[in-house]
Amino acid sequence: MLDRLKDIVRKTSINVCIVNCGGCNGCDIELVACLSPRYDLEQYGIYLQNNPRDADVLLLTGAVTEQWEDKLHRIYTKVPEPKVVLAVGNCPQSGDVFAQEGGRVSAPASNFIPVDAEVCGCPPRPDEIISAVLAVVPKAMVAKGHENKKIKDNDS
Ligand code: SF4
């Protein structure tokens, strides 16, 4: 019964797993703000999911430190197909401040896993993050054959 309920909820929602691969936590704080009543990310049927095996979307923050190079790919392989990767903040794209002064980071994250979309900013604002998720993720998931009725309805 509970498994069936879980299946129904998953088919009508987008589950996002956040991975901080070495940043200052500034972007993560903005992501927490997305869940607050002011921005209310869940009103769009988008939920945080700690287990990558149950996620639809991998949302990256951070500049990919040396320790994350292998781990990032391992986590990516655990997310079931079709999966979408969204890189949030300047760090996963360029390393931002961590790449300066000889910092030992390995950004861009796209060197290690395929990235479907990026949101610039240091950090980006919550409304920019939510707009990116809503603009990119449903289309990307449909393009990848996701059987999600809600996503198809929203897209048409
Ligand atoms: S992009 Fe800026 S706010 Fe986000 S993790 Fe990097 S340094 Fe911090």
Side-chain angles (χ1 to χ4, degrees):
M1 174 71 177
L2 284 179
D3 281 350
R4 170 120 179 82
L5 189 58
K6 189 175 164 187
D7 282 349
I8 292 170
V9 171
R10 287 215 52 217
K11 279 185 179 159
T12 53
S13 60
I14 297 172
N15 292 269
V16 178
C17 179
I18 297 175
V19 176
N20 179 341
C21 48
C24 75
N25 291 339
C27 288
D28 303 82
I29 290 169
E30 299 304 313
L31 286 166
V32 170
C34 292
L35 297 169
S36 69
R38 178 170 178 187
Y39 296 101
D40 192 14
L41 183 66
E42 293 183 350
Q43 71 180 300
Y44 304 108
I46 300 170
Y47 301 98
L48 290 195
Q49 172 59 257
N50 288 329
N51 185 351
R53 289 187 174 89
D54 284 333
D56 304 303
V57 178
L58 207 53
L59 196 155
L60 302 181
T61 63
V64 193
T65 57
E66 209 176 313
Q67 295 87 340
W68 271 100
E69 291 177 7
D70 293 336
K71 264 194 275 185
L72 186 56
H73 192 263
R74 280 210 304 277
I75 291 173
Y76 174 79
T77 58
K78 287 178 183 167
V79 180
E81 296 286 353
K83 51 191 158 195
V84 176
V85 178
L86 184 64
V88 170
N90 293 346
C91 275
Q93 300 171 49
S94 66
D96 204 77
V97 290
F98 299 104
Q100 296 167 13
E101 312 274 345
R104 294 182 63 185
V105 292
S106 306
S110 55
N111 282 346
F112 303 94
I113 59 173
V115 173
D116 295 284
E118 296 167 329
V119 189
C120 299
C122 182
R125 294 191 311 270
D127 52 327
E128 292 174 320
I129 297 170
I130 292 175
S131 295
V133 172
L134 293 176
V136 171
V137 172
K139 285 194 176 82
M141 293 181 81
V142 169
K144 292 179 178 192
H146 195 281
E147 296 295 327
N148 187 325
K149 185 174 182 312
K150 181 194 261 185
I151 288 172
K152 283 178 179 166
D153 288 347
N154 287 346
D155 197 44
S156 57

